[in-house]
Amino acid sequence: MNKSIYILEFKLFFRNSATWMGIILLILMGFAGLYFGKTFIEKQEQVITKAASLQKQQTRQNIAHFGNDIGLFFYHNKFSLANTPDAWAAFANGQRDVNPYLISVTMLGLEGQLYDTDLSNPLSLLLGKMDLSFVFIFLFPLVIIAFSYNLLSEQKESGIWPLLKAQTDKTFTIIWRKILVRLMVIFALAFLLMFVAAIYLKLPFDGTFAALMVLILLYLAFWFAVAFVVISLHKSSNFNASALIAIWVLLCIVVPASLNLLLTKKYPIPEALQNVINQREGYHEKWDMAKSVTMAPFFKHYPQLKKYPFPEEKTFSWYWYYGMQQMGDDAALGSRVLIEKKLASRQNFTETVALFIPSIQLQLGVNELAGTDLDSHLNFQQAVRKYHETIRLHFYPAIFTDDELKNTDIENYKLEKYVPKDVPVIWINLLSITTLTVILAWVGYFLLRKRI
């Protein structure tokens, strides 16, 4: 009996042309999100591949032009570190469109080079990149609203509801059955798109896939719970549609935009400009000072380099010049630490607010799993700092002893790739969305049973 009733509900649901329009829309937009997301990441991978060959080519050219002066060679020669995208980055591009994923540095001061990135059209950055996560976060809720807003009100407005109440006392079961049918269809679409994504993007069926799938299903269930609460108020179809759209605009557009403005005001970062000024002043002012002003703190920073004889009699030496560059970075250390603290505070504040905003919670969780969030970029910056430090300490001895370039292993250096080691943990995201969904579902159940 129950099976035949559900079959009838499915038939009634699919008889509506709006149902097919919503399903086709999600499938088409899902495929488009997969295509654009993958294309965007493929372009970044192509840039990384090209940069690897260009670094070798540039090194050979610099050897030909500056090979007789080792200090001048390292003044010009660049070393690159690439933040290689995970397979999931095509699913959720995250902040890879605004943060540099390939950083090339010389042995000069790092702080002046760390934030170099490609020029981008501000309008395209404002609109963002479309990927499959965008479809799940923004478009699926709209279709859920379209499927659910008139479940009860349509019955009342057509005059069917009084007849149903006269014939059965299980009117709540009827409404629940209609919601369950729509829930199964939306979940089936989500599974379909995720399966296609796994094949098209070559995603592994691992713990990340399972965690992401659960997170998305919980998010979709949350929107059904929202719709359940609104329709349980027993208002008209127009009211339900307007209320649900208003909630979608609030949770998906207004609150995230307001949060961004609040973060800018609450945690301003004037230290970003000051960091550049400190670095440049810390370096340039040394031209007019005694060499000891540069070398004394330099040897304090690197006591192991004091064993190399310093040519004090020379007006200019690469030993002194690279010491000045390091002093520029040291002068910017305070402002750099403040920037990192401000960014960490922004991230912590966002994560706290997101506990009550599932749309932000899902975006944070998906980007974290894909390795395209702010924390991933900050970890990449730290990797660049370590890489730069390693290169400096490796080649400083050859520069300070004025060794010949051919005696170094410079030709063995190639583009390095950064691979994150931390395993993302998103149990807070899962717990947050689950709690909100359960609370809303209970409120909807209470209101509907009370007024039905």
PDB file of all heavy atoms in Angstrom, residues 374-409:
ATOM      1  N   LEU A 374      41.489  30.175   2.534  1.00  0.00           N
ATOM      2  CA  LEU A 374      42.498  31.143   2.954  1.00  0.00           C
ATOM      3  C   LEU A 374      43.622  30.476   3.720  1.00  0.00           C
ATOM      4  O   LEU A 374      44.803  30.800   3.519  1.00  0.00           O
ATOM      5  CB  LEU A 374      41.844  32.236   3.814  1.00  0.00           C
ATOM      6  CG  LEU A 374      42.792  33.284   4.398  1.00  0.00           C
ATOM      7  CD1 LEU A 374      43.517  34.036   3.290  1.00  0.00           C
ATOM      8  CD2 LEU A 374      42.026  34.255   5.301  1.00  0.00           C
ATOM      9  N   ASP A 375      43.295  29.540   4.596  1.00  0.00           N
ATOM     10  CA  ASP A 375      44.340  28.856   5.368  1.00  0.00           C
ATOM     11  C   ASP A 375      45.328  28.138   4.451  1.00  0.00           C
ATOM     12  O   ASP A 375      46.536  28.136   4.712  1.00  0.00           O
ATOM     13  CB  ASP A 375      43.710  27.858   6.347  1.00  0.00           C
ATOM     14  CG  ASP A 375      43.150  28.542   7.587  1.00  0.00           C
ATOM     15  OD1 ASP A 375      43.553  29.694   7.848  1.00  0.00           O
ATOM     16  OD2 ASP A 375      42.319  27.938   8.277  1.00  0.00           O
ATOM     17  N   SER A 376      44.820  27.531   3.402  1.00  0.00           N
ATOM     18  CA  SER A 376      45.697  26.838   2.455  1.00  0.00           C
ATOM     19  C   SER A 376      46.664  27.820   1.803  1.00  0.00           C
ATOM     20  O   SER A 376      47.849  27.516   1.600  1.00  0.00           O
ATOM     21  CB  SER A 376      44.872  26.127   1.379  1.00  0.00           C
ATOM     22  OG  SER A 376      44.047  25.142   1.953  1.00  0.00           O
ATOM     23  N   HIS A 377      46.163  29.010   1.459  1.00  0.00           N
ATOM     24  CA  HIS A 377      47.037  30.011   0.843  1.00  0.00           C
ATOM     25  C   HIS A 377      48.083  30.519   1.832  1.00  0.00           C
ATOM     26  O   HIS A 377      49.258  30.700   1.466  1.00  0.00           O
ATOM     27  CB  HIS A 377      46.214  31.181   0.319  1.00  0.00           C
ATOM     28  CG  HIS A 377      47.043  32.287  -0.231  1.00  0.00           C
ATOM     29  ND1 HIS A 377      47.819  32.155  -1.371  1.00  0.00           N
ATOM     30  CD2 HIS A 377      47.266  33.557   0.224  1.00  0.00           C
ATOM     31  CE1 HIS A 377      48.458  33.288  -1.609  1.00  0.00           C
ATOM     32  NE2 HIS A 377      48.155  34.141  -0.663  1.00  0.00           N
ATOM     33  N   LEU A 378      47.672  30.747   3.082  1.00  0.00           N
ATOM     34  CA  LEU A 378      48.630  31.204   4.084  1.00  0.00           C
ATOM     35  C   LEU A 378      49.701  30.147   4.335  1.00  0.00           C
ATOM     36  O   LEU A 378      50.879  30.479   4.531  1.00  0.00           O
ATOM     37  CB  LEU A 378      47.904  31.534   5.393  1.00  0.00           C
ATOM     38  CG  LEU A 378      46.929  32.724   5.327  1.00  0.00           C
ATOM     39  CD1 LEU A 378      46.230  32.917   6.676  1.00  0.00           C
ATOM     40  CD2 LEU A 378      47.644  33.996   4.910  1.00  0.00           C
ATOM     41  N   ASN A 379      49.327  28.880   4.315  1.00  0.00           N
ATOM     42  CA  ASN A 379      50.315  27.803   4.447  1.00  0.00           C
ATOM     43  C   ASN A 379      51.265  27.784   3.256  1.00  0.00           C
ATOM     44  O   ASN A 379      52.460  27.496   3.401  1.00  0.00           O
ATOM     45  CB  ASN A 379      49.609  26.458   4.577  1.00  0.00           C
ATOM     46  CG  ASN A 379      48.855  26.318   5.886  1.00  0.00           C
ATOM     47  OD1 ASN A 379      49.181  26.967   6.877  1.00  0.00           O
ATOM     48  ND2 ASN A 379      47.835  25.477   5.911  1.00  0.00           N
ATOM     49  N   PHE A 380      50.729  28.097   2.077  1.00  0.00           N
ATOM     50  CA  PHE A 380      51.572  28.177   0.884  1.00  0.00           C
ATOM     51  C   PHE A 380      52.571  29.318   1.021  1.00  0.00           C
ATOM     52  O   PHE A 380      53.749  29.182   0.651  1.00  0.00           O
ATOM     53  CB  PHE A 380      50.694  28.373  -0.357  1.00  0.00           C
ATOM     54  CG  PHE A 380      51.453  28.638  -1.624  1.00  0.00           C
ATOM     55  CD1 PHE A 380      52.420  27.757  -2.074  1.00  0.00           C
ATOM     56  CD2 PHE A 380      51.200  29.787  -2.374  1.00  0.00           C
ATOM     57  CE1 PHE A 380      53.126  28.003  -3.251  1.00  0.00           C
ATOM     58  CE2 PHE A 380      51.886  30.038  -3.544  1.00  0.00           C
ATOM     59  CZ  PHE A 380      52.857  29.147  -3.984  1.00  0.00           C
ATOM     60  N   GLN A 381      52.142  30.449   1.549  1.00  0.00           N
ATOM     61  CA  GLN A 381      53.061  31.567   1.759  1.00  0.00           C
ATOM     62  C   GLN A 381      54.187  31.183   2.715  1.00  0.00           C
ATOM     63  O   GLN A 381      55.355  31.551   2.494  1.00  0.00           O
ATOM     64  CB  GLN A 381      52.307  32.777   2.311  1.00  0.00           C
ATOM     65  CG  GLN A 381      51.530  33.564   1.269  1.00  0.00           C
ATOM     66  CD  GLN A 381      51.019  34.875   1.818  1.00  0.00           C
ATOM     67  OE1 GLN A 381      50.895  35.064   3.036  1.00  0.00           O
ATOM     68  NE2 GLN A 381      50.710  35.806   0.936  1.00  0.00           N
ATOM     69  N   GLN A 382      53.842  30.454   3.766  1.00  0.00           N
ATOM     70  CA  GLN A 382      54.876  30.005   4.694  1.00  0.00           C
ATOM     71  C   GLN A 382      55.852  29.058   4.005  1.00  0.00           C
ATOM     72  O   GLN A 382      57.064  29.083   4.275  1.00  0.00           O
ATOM     73  CB  GLN A 382      54.231  29.323   5.906  1.00  0.00           C
ATOM     74  CG  GLN A 382      53.424  30.246   6.792  1.00  0.00           C
ATOM     75  CD  GLN A 382      54.235  31.389   7.358  1.00  0.00           C
ATOM     76  OE1 GLN A 382      55.430  31.256   7.639  1.00  0.00           O
ATOM     77  NE2 GLN A 382      53.599  32.537   7.539  1.00  0.00           N
ATOM     78  N   ALA A 383      55.327  28.230   3.100  1.00  0.00           N
ATOM     79  CA  ALA A 383      56.200  27.324   2.346  1.00  0.00           C
ATOM     80  C   ALA A 383      57.150  28.116   1.447  1.00  0.00           C
ATOM     81  O   ALA A 383      58.321  27.735   1.277  1.00  0.00           O
ATOM     82  CB  ALA A 383      55.355  26.361   1.515  1.00  0.00           C
ATOM     83  N   VAL A 384      56.661  29.219   0.868  1.00  0.00           N
ATOM     84  CA  VAL A 384      57.520  30.073   0.038  1.00  0.00           C
ATOM     85  C   VAL A 384      58.628  30.672   0.880  1.00  0.00           C
ATOM     86  O   VAL A 384      59.795  30.743   0.443  1.00  0.00           O
ATOM     87  CB  VAL A 384      56.691  31.183  -0.645  1.00  0.00           C
ATOM     88  CG1 VAL A 384      57.613  32.165  -1.366  1.00  0.00           C
ATOM     89  CG2 VAL A 384      55.704  30.582  -1.631  1.00  0.00           C
ATOM     90  N   ARG A 385      58.301  31.106   2.094  1.00  0.00           N
ATOM     91  CA  ARG A 385      59.319  31.682   2.980  1.00  0.00           C
ATOM     92  C   ARG A 385      60.406  30.649   3.311  1.00  0.00           C
ATOM     93  O   ARG A 385      61.600  30.959   3.306  1.00  0.00           O
ATOM     94  CB  ARG A 385      58.669  32.196   4.264  1.00  0.00           C
ATOM     95  CG  ARG A 385      57.836  33.457   4.055  1.00  0.00           C
ATOM     96  CD  ARG A 385      57.446  34.092   5.394  1.00  0.00           C
ATOM     97  NE  ARG A 385      56.845  35.396   5.158  1.00  0.00           N
ATOM     98  CZ  ARG A 385      55.548  35.624   5.058  1.00  0.00           C
ATOM     99  NH1 ARG A 385      54.694  34.606   5.170  1.00  0.00           N
ATOM    100  NH2 ARG A 385      55.078  36.841   4.838  1.00  0.00           N
ATOM    101  N   LYS A 386      59.984  29.434   3.604  1.00  0.00           N
ATOM    102  CA  LYS A 386      60.964  28.383   3.909  1.00  0.00           C
ATOM    103  C   LYS A 386      61.809  28.061   2.680  1.00  0.00           C
ATOM    104  O   LYS A 386      63.020  27.844   2.779  1.00  0.00           O
ATOM    105  CB  LYS A 386      60.238  27.128   4.402  1.00  0.00           C
ATOM    106  CG  LYS A 386      59.575  27.290   5.766  1.00  0.00           C
ATOM    107  CD  LYS A 386      58.862  26.010   6.188  1.00  0.00           C
ATOM    108  CE  LYS A 386      58.177  26.187   7.536  1.00  0.00           C
ATOM    109  NZ  LYS A 386      57.442  24.943   7.945  1.00  0.00           N
ATOM    110  N   TYR A 387      61.168  28.021   1.521  1.00  0.00           N
ATOM    111  CA  TYR A 387      61.877  27.735   0.268  1.00  0.00           C
ATOM    112  C   TYR A 387      62.897  28.830  -0.032  1.00  0.00           C
ATOM    113  O   TYR A 387      64.051  28.548  -0.394  1.00  0.00           O
ATOM    114  CB  TYR A 387      60.850  27.630  -0.855  1.00  0.00           C
ATOM    115  CG  TYR A 387      61.419  27.368  -2.235  1.00  0.00           C
ATOM    116  CD1 TYR A 387      62.160  26.231  -2.493  1.00  0.00           C
ATOM    117  CD2 TYR A 387      61.189  28.262  -3.280  1.00  0.00           C
ATOM    118  CE1 TYR A 387      62.681  25.985  -3.752  1.00  0.00           C
ATOM    119  CE2 TYR A 387      61.689  28.022  -4.554  1.00  0.00           C
ATOM    120  CZ  TYR A 387      62.434  26.885  -4.776  1.00  0.00           C
ATOM    121  OH  TYR A 387      62.942  26.643  -6.031  1.00  0.00           O
ATOM    122  N   HIS A 388      62.497  30.073   0.143  1.00  0.00           N
ATOM    123  CA  HIS A 388      63.396  31.203  -0.092  1.00  0.00           C
ATOM    124  C   HIS A 388      64.578  31.164   0.867  1.00  0.00           C
ATOM    125  O   HIS A 388      65.725  31.417   0.468  1.00  0.00           O
ATOM    126  CB  HIS A 388      62.602  32.503   0.070  1.00  0.00           C
ATOM    127  CG  HIS A 388      63.346  33.728  -0.299  1.00  0.00           C
ATOM    128  ND1 HIS A 388      63.879  34.591   0.629  1.00  0.00           N
ATOM    129  CD2 HIS A 388      63.677  34.250  -1.523  1.00  0.00           C
ATOM    130  CE1 HIS A 388      64.481  35.595   0.019  1.00  0.00           C
ATOM    131  NE2 HIS A 388      64.377  35.417  -1.283  1.00  0.00           N
ATOM    132  N   GLU A 389      64.311  30.850   2.111  1.00  0.00           N
ATOM    133  CA  GLU A 389      65.374  30.757   3.110  1.00  0.00           C
ATOM    134  C   GLU A 389      66.355  29.632   2.758  1.00  0.00           C
ATOM    135  O   GLU A 389      67.578  29.797   2.884  1.00  0.00           O
ATOM    136  CB  GLU A 389      64.750  30.507   4.488  1.00  0.00           C
ATOM    137  CG  GLU A 389      65.741  30.400   5.624  1.00  0.00           C
ATOM    138  CD  GLU A 389      66.149  31.760   6.151  1.00  0.00           C
ATOM    139  OE1 GLU A 389      65.859  32.784   5.497  1.00  0.00           O
ATOM    140  OE2 GLU A 389      66.775  31.802   7.222  1.00  0.00           O
ATOM    141  N   THR A 390      65.826  28.514   2.301  1.00  0.00           N
ATOM    142  CA  THR A 390      66.691  27.391   1.930  1.00  0.00           C
ATOM    143  C   THR A 390      67.609  27.760   0.769  1.00  0.00           C
ATOM    144  O   THR A 390      68.811  27.430   0.781  1.00  0.00           O
ATOM    145  CB  THR A 390      65.823  26.174   1.531  1.00  0.00           C
ATOM    146  OG1 THR A 390      64.993  25.803   2.630  1.00  0.00           O
ATOM    147  CG2 THR A 390      66.690  24.994   1.140  1.00  0.00           C
ATOM    148  N   ILE A 391      67.075  28.448  -0.229  1.00  0.00           N
ATOM    149  CA  ILE A 391      67.881  28.862  -1.384  1.00  0.00           C
ATOM    150  C   ILE A 391      68.962  29.838  -0.961  1.00  0.00           C
ATOM    151  O   ILE A 391      70.127  29.727  -1.366  1.00  0.00           O
ATOM    152  CB  ILE A 391      66.976  29.497  -2.460  1.00  0.00           C
ATOM    153  CG1 ILE A 391      66.079  28.429  -3.080  1.00  0.00           C
ATOM    154  CG2 ILE A 391      67.809  30.177  -3.548  1.00  0.00           C
ATOM    155  CD1 ILE A 391      65.030  28.978  -4.000  1.00  0.00           C
ATOM    156  N   ARG A 392      68.588  30.809  -0.150  1.00  0.00           N
ATOM    157  CA  ARG A 392      69.568  31.790   0.319  1.00  0.00           C
ATOM    158  C   ARG A 392      70.742  31.107   1.023  1.00  0.00           C
ATOM    159  O   ARG A 392      71.910  31.350   0.701  1.00  0.00           O
ATOM    160  CB  ARG A 392      68.904  32.768   1.285  1.00  0.00           C
ATOM    161  CG  ARG A 392      68.199  33.940   0.620  1.00  0.00           C
ATOM    162  CD  ARG A 392      67.586  34.833   1.675  1.00  0.00           C
ATOM    163  NE  ARG A 392      67.216  36.130   1.141  1.00  0.00           N
ATOM    164  CZ  ARG A 392      66.623  37.075   1.853  1.00  0.00           C
ATOM    165  NH1 ARG A 392      66.318  36.854   3.110  1.00  0.00           N
ATOM    166  NH2 ARG A 392      66.331  38.240   1.303  1.00  0.00           N
ATOM    167  N   LEU A 393      70.426  30.292   2.009  1.00  0.00           N
ATOM    168  CA  LEU A 393      71.487  29.664   2.792  1.00  0.00           C
ATOM    169  C   LEU A 393      72.323  28.706   1.958  1.00  0.00           C
ATOM    170  O   LEU A 393      73.494  28.472   2.258  1.00  0.00           O
ATOM    171  CB  LEU A 393      70.872  28.934   3.991  1.00  0.00           C
ATOM    172  CG  LEU A 393      70.231  29.842   5.045  1.00  0.00           C
ATOM    173  CD1 LEU A 393      69.598  29.012   6.156  1.00  0.00           C
ATOM    174  CD2 LEU A 393      71.260  30.802   5.626  1.00  0.00           C
ATOM    175  N   HIS A 394      71.716  28.155   0.905  1.00  0.00           N
ATOM    176  CA  HIS A 394      72.462  27.232   0.052  1.00  0.00           C
ATOM    177  C   HIS A 394      73.488  27.966  -0.811  1.00  0.00           C
ATOM    178  O   HIS A 394      74.615  27.474  -1.000  1.00  0.00           O
ATOM    179  CB  HIS A 394      71.496  26.455  -0.834  1.00  0.00           C
ATOM    180  CG  HIS A 394      72.168  25.451  -1.722  1.00  0.00           C
ATOM    181  ND1 HIS A 394      72.666  24.252  -1.255  1.00  0.00           N
ATOM    182  CD2 HIS A 394      72.449  25.470  -3.061  1.00  0.00           C
ATOM    183  CE1 HIS A 394      73.211  23.571  -2.241  1.00  0.00           C
ATOM    184  NE2 HIS A 394      73.089  24.296  -3.352  1.00  0.00           N
ATOM    185  N   PHE A 395      73.134  29.137  -1.337  1.00  0.00           N
ATOM    186  CA  PHE A 395      74.003  29.839  -2.282  1.00  0.00           C
ATOM    187  C   PHE A 395      74.794  30.988  -1.659  1.00  0.00           C
ATOM    188  O   PHE A 395      75.711  31.514  -2.303  1.00  0.00           O
ATOM    189  CB  PHE A 395      73.193  30.363  -3.467  1.00  0.00           C
ATOM    190  CG  PHE A 395      72.699  29.287  -4.379  1.00  0.00           C
ATOM    191  CD1 PHE A 395      71.362  28.951  -4.422  1.00  0.00           C
ATOM    192  CD2 PHE A 395      73.578  28.586  -5.200  1.00  0.00           C
ATOM    193  CE1 PHE A 395      70.892  27.954  -5.268  1.00  0.00           C
ATOM    194  CE2 PHE A 395      73.128  27.579  -6.046  1.00  0.00           C
ATOM    195  CZ  PHE A 395      71.783  27.275  -6.080  1.00  0.00           C
ATOM    196  N   TYR A 396      74.452  31.404  -0.438  1.00  0.00           N
ATOM    197  CA  TYR A 396      75.210  32.472   0.201  1.00  0.00           C
ATOM    198  C   TYR A 396      76.714  32.183   0.253  1.00  0.00           C
ATOM    199  O   TYR A 396      77.528  33.052  -0.076  1.00  0.00           O
ATOM    200  CB  TYR A 396      74.689  32.717   1.613  1.00  0.00           C
ATOM    201  CG  TYR A 396      73.572  33.725   1.708  1.00  0.00           C
ATOM    202  CD1 TYR A 396      72.773  33.794   2.851  1.00  0.00           C
ATOM    203  CD2 TYR A 396      73.316  34.630   0.683  1.00  0.00           C
ATOM    204  CE1 TYR A 396      71.738  34.717   2.960  1.00  0.00           C
ATOM    205  CE2 TYR A 396      72.281  35.555   0.785  1.00  0.00           C
ATOM    206  CZ  TYR A 396      71.505  35.592   1.917  1.00  0.00           C
ATOM    207  OH  TYR A 396      70.488  36.514   2.024  1.00  0.00           O
ATOM    208  N   PRO A 397      77.127  30.987   0.679  1.00  0.00           N
ATOM    209  CA  PRO A 397      78.575  30.730   0.754  1.00  0.00           C
ATOM    210  C   PRO A 397      79.289  30.963  -0.576  1.00  0.00           C
ATOM    211  O   PRO A 397      80.390  31.540  -0.599  1.00  0.00           O
ATOM    212  CB  PRO A 397      78.647  29.260   1.191  1.00  0.00           C
ATOM    213  CG  PRO A 397      77.381  29.047   1.952  1.00  0.00           C
ATOM    214  CD  PRO A 397      76.358  29.849   1.231  1.00  0.00           C
ATOM    215  N   ALA A 398      78.696  30.518  -1.674  1.00  0.00           N
ATOM    216  CA  ALA A 398      79.327  30.707  -2.983  1.00  0.00           C
ATOM    217  C   ALA A 398      79.404  32.188  -3.341  1.00  0.00           C
ATOM    218  O   ALA A 398      80.418  32.656  -3.902  1.00  0.00           O
ATOM    219  CB  ALA A 398      78.552  29.947  -4.055  1.00  0.00           C
ATOM    220  N   ILE A 399      78.378  32.959  -3.002  1.00  0.00           N
ATOM    221  CA  ILE A 399      78.383  34.390  -3.301  1.00  0.00           C
ATOM    222  C   ILE A 399      79.385  35.119  -2.426  1.00  0.00           C
ATOM    223  O   ILE A 399      80.149  35.962  -2.909  1.00  0.00           O
ATOM    224  CB  ILE A 399      76.965  34.979  -3.096  1.00  0.00           C
ATOM    225  CG1 ILE A 399      75.969  34.347  -4.068  1.00  0.00           C
ATOM    226  CG2 ILE A 399      76.980  36.496  -3.274  1.00  0.00           C
ATOM    227  CD1 ILE A 399      74.524  34.751  -3.821  1.00  0.00           C
ATOM    228  N   PHE A 400      79.400  34.791  -1.143  1.00  0.00           N
ATOM    229  CA  PHE A 400      80.253  35.524  -0.209  1.00  0.00           C
ATOM    230  C   PHE A 400      81.732  35.214  -0.407  1.00  0.00           C
ATOM    231  O   PHE A 400      82.590  36.013  -0.025  1.00  0.00           O
ATOM    232  CB  PHE A 400      79.833  35.211   1.225  1.00  0.00           C
ATOM    233  CG  PHE A 400      78.434  35.674   1.555  1.00  0.00           C
ATOM    234  CD1 PHE A 400      77.797  35.225   2.697  1.00  0.00           C
ATOM    235  CD2 PHE A 400      77.769  36.552   0.729  1.00  0.00           C
ATOM    236  CE1 PHE A 400      76.496  35.650   2.999  1.00  0.00           C
ATOM    237  CE2 PHE A 400      76.471  36.981   1.012  1.00  0.00           C
ATOM    238  CZ  PHE A 400      75.832  36.530   2.152  1.00  0.00           C
ATOM    239  N   THR A 401      82.046  34.071  -0.970  1.00  0.00           N
ATOM    240  CA  THR A 401      83.451  33.745  -1.273  1.00  0.00           C
ATOM    241  C   THR A 401      83.811  34.053  -2.712  1.00  0.00           C
ATOM    242  O   THR A 401      84.910  33.727  -3.154  1.00  0.00           O
ATOM    243  CB  THR A 401      83.713  32.260  -0.982  1.00  0.00           C
ATOM    244  OG1 THR A 401      82.815  31.447  -1.770  1.00  0.00           O
ATOM    245  CG2 THR A 401      83.517  31.939   0.494  1.00  0.00           C
ATOM    246  N   ASP A 402      82.851  34.670  -3.447  1.00  0.00           N
ATOM    247  CA  ASP A 402      83.062  35.034  -4.852  1.00  0.00           C
ATOM    248  C   ASP A 402      83.499  33.816  -5.678  1.00  0.00           C
ATOM    249  O   ASP A 402      84.403  33.898  -6.514  1.00  0.00           O
ATOM    250  CB  ASP A 402      84.102  36.157  -4.965  1.00  0.00           C
ATOM    251  CG  ASP A 402      84.014  36.872  -6.307  1.00  0.00           C
ATOM    252  OD1 ASP A 402      82.947  36.785  -6.949  1.00  0.00           O
ATOM    253  OD2 ASP A 402      85.020  37.492  -6.712  1.00  0.00           O
ATOM    254  N   ASP A 403      82.822  32.705  -5.431  1.00  0.00           N
ATOM    255  CA  ASP A 403      83.135  31.471  -6.151  1.00  0.00           C
ATOM    256  C   ASP A 403      82.620  31.568  -7.589  1.00  0.00           C
ATOM    257  O   ASP A 403      81.812  32.438  -7.932  1.00  0.00           O
ATOM    258  CB  ASP A 403      82.482  30.289  -5.435  1.00  0.00           C
ATOM    259  CG  ASP A 403      83.074  28.962  -5.841  1.00  0.00           C
ATOM    260  OD1 ASP A 403      83.995  28.948  -6.691  1.00  0.00           O
ATOM    261  OD2 ASP A 403      82.596  27.929  -5.325  1.00  0.00           O
ATOM    262  N   GLU A 404      83.080  30.662  -8.428  1.00  0.00           N
ATOM    263  CA  GLU A 404      82.606  30.638  -9.807  1.00  0.00           C
ATOM    264  C   GLU A 404      81.258  29.923  -9.867  1.00  0.00           C
ATOM    265  O   GLU A 404      81.016  28.946  -9.159  1.00  0.00           O
ATOM    266  CB  GLU A 404      83.612  29.924 -10.707  1.00  0.00           C
ATOM    267  CG  GLU A 404      84.923  30.680 -10.864  1.00  0.00           C
ATOM    268  CD  GLU A 404      85.854  30.011 -11.869  1.00  0.00           C
ATOM    269  OE1 GLU A 404      85.413  29.026 -12.518  1.00  0.00           O
ATOM    270  OE2 GLU A 404      87.005  30.452 -12.001  1.00  0.00           O
ATOM    271  N   LEU A 405      80.394  30.424 -10.736  1.00  0.00           N
ATOM    272  CA  LEU A 405      79.037  29.888 -10.838  1.00  0.00           C
ATOM    273  C   LEU A 405      79.038  28.426 -11.253  1.00  0.00           C
ATOM    274  O   LEU A 405      78.167  27.654 -10.836  1.00  0.00           O
ATOM    275  CB  LEU A 405      78.230  30.729 -11.841  1.00  0.00           C
ATOM    276  CG  LEU A 405      76.732  30.435 -11.913  1.00  0.00           C
ATOM    277  CD1 LEU A 405      76.059  30.702 -10.577  1.00  0.00           C
ATOM    278  CD2 LEU A 405      76.082  31.274 -13.002  1.00  0.00           C
ATOM    279  N   LYS A 406      80.004  28.023 -12.064  1.00  0.00           N
ATOM    280  CA  LYS A 406      80.034  26.644 -12.553  1.00  0.00           C
ATOM    281  C   LYS A 406      80.277  25.645 -11.427  1.00  0.00           C
ATOM    282  O   LYS A 406      80.036  24.441 -11.590  1.00  0.00           O
ATOM    283  CB  LYS A 406      81.096  26.492 -13.631  1.00  0.00           C
ATOM    284  CG  LYS A 406      82.525  26.731 -13.139  1.00  0.00           C
ATOM    285  CD  LYS A 406      83.535  26.596 -14.264  1.00  0.00           C
ATOM    286  CE  LYS A 406      84.961  26.812 -13.765  1.00  0.00           C
ATOM    287  NZ  LYS A 406      85.955  26.697 -14.862  1.00  0.00           N
ATOM    288  N   ASN A 407      80.777  26.140 -10.285  1.00  0.00           N
ATOM    289  CA  ASN A 407      81.034  25.250  -9.147  1.00  0.00           C
ATOM    290  C   ASN A 407      79.785  25.020  -8.290  1.00  0.00           C
ATOM    291  O   ASN A 407      79.832  24.261  -7.330  1.00  0.00           O
ATOM    292  CB  ASN A 407      82.153  25.820  -8.274  1.00  0.00           C
ATOM    293  CG  ASN A 407      83.485  25.851  -8.999  1.00  0.00           C
ATOM    294  OD1 ASN A 407      83.744  25.027  -9.889  1.00  0.00           O
ATOM    295  ND2 ASN A 407      84.337  26.810  -8.650  1.00  0.00           N
ATOM    296  N   THR A 408      78.695  25.694  -8.640  1.00  0.00           N
ATOM    297  CA  THR A 408      77.441  25.496  -7.909  1.00  0.00           C
ATOM    298  C   THR A 408      76.563  24.493  -8.654  1.00  0.00           C
ATOM    299  O   THR A 408      76.847  24.116  -9.793  1.00  0.00           O
ATOM    300  CB  THR A 408      76.680  26.827  -7.750  1.00  0.00           C
ATOM    301  OG1 THR A 408      76.226  27.264  -9.038  1.00  0.00           O
ATOM    302  CG2 THR A 408      77.589  27.902  -7.142  1.00  0.00           C
ATOM    303  N   ASP A 409      75.483  24.123  -8.018  1.00  0.00           N
ATOM    304  CA  ASP A 409      74.537  23.172  -8.623  1.00  0.00           C
ATOM    305  C   ASP A 409      73.296  23.899  -9.136  1.00  0.00           C
ATOM    306  O   ASP A 409      72.199  23.335  -9.129  1.00  0.00           O
ATOM    307  CB  ASP A 409      74.148  22.087  -7.627  1.00  0.00           C
ATOM    308  CG  ASP A 409      73.525  22.668  -6.354  1.00  0.00           C
ATOM    309  OD1 ASP A 409      73.607  23.901  -6.163  1.00  0.00           O
ATOM    310  OD2 ASP A 409      72.966  21.899  -5.557  1.00  0.00           O
TER     311      ASP A 409
END
